[in-house]
Amino acid sequence: MKLEKLSASAVQNKLKSNGLILKIGPFSFRIISPIASVADGLVALYANHVVLDDSHFVDYTVTIASASGWRRWTRRQAIFQFDGMEPFIPLPEDHAFPLLEWSMNWCIAMHAHHYLLLHSAVIEKEGCAVVMPAPPGSGKSTLCAGLVHRGWRLLSDELALISLTGTAITPLGRPISLKNQSIEVMRSFVPGAVFSKEVLDTSKGRVSLMKVPTAHTERIQETAQPRWVVFPKYVAGSLPQMVPRSKANSMLELGRNSFNYMVLGLKGFEVLSKVIDASDCYDFQYSQLDDAVAAFDDLVARRND
C-alpha cells in the first residue's frame, strides 16, 4: 500500500504510536514522531512510497522526538534518537522534517556497508548513470533537480549506493534537498512541483525539499550502470563547459567523497576502480539549467562515438 492511501490523521497516528514503516529504496525505515511537521512532510513528499506492515524486517528505526529539557520552555526543540543514542544536537522544532531527512542519511552512511557509499547525486538516462559528487554550494542539487524534470531519472540526490559485486547503482528515490536561491530557481523551472514547507535558519540556510516525480519512484527497483562521473560547479554568468578530467584525479576525488571507502579497504578500491574504468570523467561549469540539460543530453547522444 502506498502512503497516499492513508489519511493525514492515519499517518499522524502511526507516527505517534508504533511508527510508520516506509520502504525507501532498498531500505525500510520505521519512523516515530509526535511532531506534526514530520507527518506533513511525509504526506506531501512520500505519497508514492510503499508503507510496510509490522511483519516486515526494519533496517532502521528513526525517532524524531520533542526535547524534554528546560529549553522547551523558551523554544521547543526536536531531537534525533537512534538505537538509544542521540547522534545530533537538538534543533528547533520547526527543523524537524529536514532533521528526519538528515537522520536517514546518517543511518545509511553509518551502516550500509554492503554498498560503496558516495556523497553524490546520481541520475540516469537510457540505462547509463551520471555520478555527480560535489561539495555544498556547488549547485549539485539544483542541477540534479533540473535534469530529473527534463528527461533524466533520479536515483539519488545525496547518496550513491554502488554494488560491491559489480558496479550497479541502486536507486534511493528520496526528495531533493534545495537551499536558499535554488528553491526559487526550481519553483520557476518546474511550475507545479511539490515542495515541503520552507525552513529558515538551518545550518545549511533556508531549506526546502522537492518531491520525486511519480514515474521515478515507480522504477525504484531499476538499477543503472555508471557511464559518466561529472563534477558540477555553478558559476554565475558562465557558459556551459564540459571539460575532460583525468581518471586518476577523478578516482582520488571520488574516494574523498566516500563515506566508507576506508572501511571497505581493498574491496572499496576495487569497486571504485571499476566505476572509474567504466566512466568518462568531466568537470562541468554552468549558470543556466537549460544549457546544462543540453550538455548532459549531448553526453548521451555521443556515448558511442
Side-chain angles (χ1 to χ4, degrees), residues 113-118 131 160-170 225-226 229 250-251 254-255 258 260-261 264-279:
H113 300 315
H114 51 301
Y115 294 102
L116 174 64
L117 299 169
L118 303 181
V131 177
L161 311 177
I162 304 175
S163 168
L164 298 184
T165 57
T167 55
I169 303 176
T170 297
Q225 293 293 329
V229 175
S250 298
M251 181 160 175
L254 280 188
S258 174
N260 60 351
Y261 177 72
L264 295 174
L266 177 60
K267 176 58 71 175
F269 174 82
E270 292 172 344
V271 173
L272 202 57
S273 297
K274 291 178 181 176
V275 171
I276 290 294
D277 285 344
S279 303

Side-chain angles (χ1 to χ4, degrees), residues 14 33 39 103 113 121 281 292:
K14 281 182 173 289
S33 181
S103 301
H113 300 315
C281 305

